[in-house]
Amino acid sequence: MRNKISFLRRVVQIVSLILIVYGGYIFKTRLEAETGKPLFPKLKAPEDAMSTTKFEKGKILWPSGTNPVLENYPPSLICRFNPRGGLFKACIFHFISENLTWQTHIKYLLPHLTLFILLCFLFGRIWCGWVCPIGTVGDFITSIRKKMNIPAKRFPSGFRVSLRLFSYGIMAIAFFISTLIGIPNFRRFQCYLFLPYCQICPARLICPLFGLIKPGWKDFENAITSTFTILAWIVMGIFLAAFYFGRRIWCHLCPVGLINSWFNRGAGIELKKKAVNCNKCGLCTETCPMGLTEMYDKNTDGIYNQNGCIMCLRCVEICPKDGCLSVSFFGKKITESKFK
Amino acid sequence: MKKNLILPIFLLIYNICLSSEKLSIDFTYPSLKGDFYVNGKVSFSPSSVISEDNITVNDFNSGEEIPTKITVLERWPDNSILEAEILFPANTNKQRKYVLTYGIDVKRKNKFSQTSVLPIINASIGKTPVSTESINIDVGELLVKVDRSPEVRYYWYIIPLLTLLFFTIFRTIKNSKKV
């Protein structure tokens, strides 16, 4: 039992990374290109939107110049900085921001929203722990720290709450700007302020590197792009420091993870605790990469899908008591903790 | 003197023979914002249009050619086009007047194959404008066509979406009570 889940998670992370970043090549000839029919409606910018002409030139947002195979938005998959177009278009944060600006009709948004909610309903925030390529890169940074025998810093719960509130702030500002530049009078700012969060997201600098493409790391064309470039570097610094010193601290700040977290408690995948078997050893909270303590603190039976939980299942893996912690899918047990 | 007139007369006749004709394209812009397709049928006299590449749709003011998808529906005995169906993209944010140009000297450059599911607005080409809400009924060989699928197709997603949201909220409340 021990390390089996971690090994499986690593395999899934690597396969997902390859599929997400390079998967477009595999599926391109097999899906839409072959049938000639889109699986989901295409969400296009209006003809007069400045954003399309600006960013199609590949200056900031399309470094590869290759379009994704499917215009689809799974919860927290790859972003538009994906070097080879990839299989999917972008993350849910991109989806919302883009369509707030374009004011796409609701009937075209519904299929994408339905798929997103379906995946969140089934798996909750499992994407963050098992699939997210940025999280995979972060875990790699964390493994370097482990090799150097540097202990991870533990942060108080108040700090994590502050990060979550900060994440809400980032989200509110990003959505406000996205909505504002959709108003006709402010459209002239679209070429600079389009997808504001994407321009400072660490993925802007990380994703192009997967395809050996130079990231847009020195766009100092004007005051606004310079500000975004500087902010992108600052956020990149925070991202690296967060993963190096504090494991998954970044995931408390990530607005994409924040949106996924809303569905965590009601998700089909359930993390259960049987309190009678718990010996209060504290290994679950000790090993939790998100630093969550609720499972240790509360001594009651129940489902512990906290908002911050990324479903990495390290707690189930490490728990030394038989049947104390378990993972279920809509009540059907998948695995549980075992004494070894 | 007469010899000098031969060339201009020849050019004049040549131009008359090859000159292009223009037809107005009339349609009502929909209340729905964004992209949509304009669809219309047009009939030609014998020998006037040989190929679908001899038909273009242009912006009335700038003359810019609009990408079109042209399907030949029927041909004259001499193989020239009798009736063709024309589809081209438009946008409510960029309202402009379109004109159809046809003739042997017209060469279509911008083609497109319809891939997006967008609303389709009926247009009348060189005739009286038709309403977007009208139903086409050809009497004789009776044909009734009511195609509103692009409008309603994706609204069906609201049922699973709301169901999923309901179950998510229900389970969230249920699971929160348990802890």
Side-chain angles (χ1 to χ4, degrees):
Chain A
M1 179 67 186
R2 195 155 289 184
N3 294 331
K4 267 188 183 173
I5 294 176
S6 284
F7 176 74
L8 182 66
R9 195 165 74 93
R10 286 280 173 271
V11 171
V12 172
Q13 279 184 315
I14 292 165
V15 170
S16 304
L17 185 75
I18 293 167
L19 189 69
I20 290 162
V21 177
Y22 306 105
Y25 285 123
I26 303 165
F27 289 93
K28 198 152 197 160
T29 52
R30 290 176 181 272
L31 291 170
E32 291 187 341
E34 204 169 68
T35 59
K37 289 176 185 172
L39 298 180
F40 288 87
K42 296 217 169 183
L43 301 167
K44 292 193 296 179
E47 275 179 17
D48 58 343
M50 292 175 76
S51 53
T52 47
T53 49
K54 169 76 178 178
F55 296 128
E56 273 182 2
K57 286 175 186 168
K59 271 196 167 182
I60 303 172
L61 295 176
W62 288 113
S64 64
T66 316
N67 287 328
V69 176
L70 299 180
E71 181 129 358
N72 202 359
Y73 300 83
S76 56
L77 290 181
I78 198 66
C79 74
R80 65 188 307 161
F81 297 100
N82 191 9
R84 297 292 175 206
L87 187 57
F88 301 102
K89 188 178 178 185
C91 72
I92 192 69
F93 204 85
H94 165 207
F95 169 74
I96 298 171
S97 305
E98 187 175 67
N99 292 295
L100 281 174
T101 303
W102 290 349
Q103 295 163 9
T104 313
H105 197 275
I106 190 76
K107 75 169 181 253
Y108 299 117
L109 303 181
L110 284 175
H112 298 275
L113 282 174
T114 307
L115 179 71
F116 167 69
I117 293 170
L118 174 70
L119 291 170
C120 286
F121 176 65
L122 294 176
F123 305 112
R125 214 179 156 178
I126 208 166
W127 297 96
C128 300
W130 291 66
V131 181
C132 176
I134 300 300
T136 306
V137 172
D139 283 347
F140 176 71
I141 297 165
T142 307
S143 68
I144 293 171
R145 175 183 51 73
K146 277 186 186 168
K147 292 262 185 244
M148 293 163 75
N149 286 325
I150 300 168
K153 285 199 189 316
R154 293 199 71 79
F155 296 92
S157 59
F159 180 67
R160 292 195 300 273
V161 172
S162 309
L163 289 180
R164 192 171 164 80
L165 289 174
F166 194 67
S167 184
Y168 270 109
I170 294 172
M171 190 175 75
I173 293 167
F175 288 166
F176 173 74
I177 293 172
S178 298
T179 311
L180 189 76
I181 58 173
I183 299 168
N185 287 350
F186 294 96
R187 278 198 184 145
R188 63 182 183 278
F189 294 111
Q190 272 186 19
C191 57
Y192 304 116
L193 296 171
F194 187 53
L195 300 175
Y197 177 71
C198 294
Q199 297 200 48
I200 61 166
C201 178
R204 172 182 166 177
L205 301 175
I206 292 172
C207 285
L209 298 175
F210 288 125
L212 303 175
I213 291 167
K214 202 170 98 179
W217 58 282
K218 51 175 185 178
D219 186 356
F220 297 108
E221 195 180 312
N222 55 53
I224 300 172
T225 55
S226 302
T227 309
F228 275 127
T229 304
I230 292 163
L231 279 174
W233 277 108
I234 293 169
V235 173
M236 186 68 191
I238 295 168
F239 169 81
L240 292 173
F243 272 104
Y244 187 76
F245 293 111
R247 297 192 283 188
R248 289 273 189 150
I249 279 292
W250 169 262
C251 298
H252 290 287
L253 195 61
C254 174
V256 180
L258 178 72
I259 296 173
N260 291 338
S261 75
W262 297 339
F263 298 86
N264 225 17
R265 281 191 194 271
I269 195 145
E270 299 157 344
L271 192 57
K272 287 180 178 171
K273 179 183 175 179
K274 207 170 182 182
V276 71
N277 292 345
C278 180
N279 64 353
K280 284 283 175 187
C281 66
L283 277 174
C284 53
T285 191
E286 193 71 29
T287 195
C288 179
M290 297 295 281
L292 305 174
T293 57
E294 196 182 11
M295 191 177 276
Y296 170 76
D297 295 338
K298 290 187 179 174
N299 208 21
T300 49
D301 288 359
I303 296 167
Y304 282 82
N305 289 10
Q306 298 161 65
N307 287 333
C309 179
I310 56 167
M311 295 287 169
C312 67
L313 310 182
R314 280 285 291 156
C315 50
V316 181
E317 186 181 50
I318 209 86
C319 178
K321 296 292 286 179
D322 280 346
C324 177
L325 300 179
S326 62
V327 188
S328 308
F329 191 67
F330 289 106
K332 194 176 180 184
K333 195 179 282 181
I334 299 169
T335 186
E336 62 180 9
S337 58
K338 281 180 188 156
F339 175 73
K340 190 182 178 185
Chain B
M1 186 64 185
K2 280 181 182 176
K3 277 184 181 178
N4 292 338
L5 283 173
I6 290 171
L7 184 63
I9 290 167
F10 172 75
L11 286 173
L12 182 69
I13 294 165
Y14 183 76
N15 275 312
I16 290 167
C17 290
L18 295 184
S19 65
S20 56
E21 292 289 329
K22 289 188 189 321
L23 296 173
S24 65
I25 301 175
D26 297 297
F27 61 92
T28 315
Y29 275 88
S31 53
L32 178 82
K33 280 187 84 178
D35 292 319
F36 63 95
Y37 289 123
V38 180
N39 186 42
K41 287 178 187 173
V42 60
S43 301
F44 302 101
S45 54
S47 307
S48 58
V49 180
I50 307 297
S51 151
E52 57 264 54
D53 287 337
N54 296 137
I55 307 164
T56 60
V57 173
N58 302 75
D59 187 323
F60 180 77
N61 296 316
S62 66
E64 178 198 342
E65 192 187 331
I66 310 297
T68 48
K69 182 188 175 188
I70 299 173
T71 314
V72 177
L73 301 175
E74 207 173 343
R75 287 183 181 273
W76 290 101
D78 68 347
N79 211 33
S80 61
I81 296 172
L82 192 161
E83 192 180 26
E85 188 177 24
I86 291 151
L87 187 88
F88 62 90
N91 191 290
T92 48
N93 296 327
K94 203 172 181 178
Q95 298 201 2
R96 45 190 181 179
K97 199 178 171 189
Y98 297 93
V99 64
L100 184 133
T101 315
Y102 70 93
I104 294 164
D105 60 335
V106 174
K107 287 277 172 271
R108 184 163 64 124
K109 288 170 191 165
N110 284 341
K111 296 177 187 177
F112 95 105
S113 54
Q114 185 190 1
T115 52
S116 307
V117 179
L118 290 173
I120 297 176
I121 300 297
N122 288 329
S124 75
I125 303 172
K127 298 175 197 164
T128 320
V130 291
S131 157
T132 52
E133 295 299 322
S134 69
I135 298 170
N136 292 334
I137 302 175
D138 289 352
V139 181
E141 186 187 320
L142 187 64
L143 170 71
V144 179
K145 186 183 175 188
V146 183
D147 184 11
R148 293 184 63 84
S149 57
E151 292 290 331
V152 297
R153 182 178 158 189
Y154 292 112
Y155 277 117
W156 288 107
Y157 281 88
I158 207 156
I159 297 166
L161 192 144
L162 289 177
T163 312
L164 284 168
L165 273 179
F166 169 76
F167 278 115
T168 308
I169 294 164
F170 173 73
R171 282 176 60 84
T172 304
I173 295 166
K174 198 179 99 181
N175 293 346
S176 301
K177 275 181 186 170
K178 277 187 181 176
V179 180

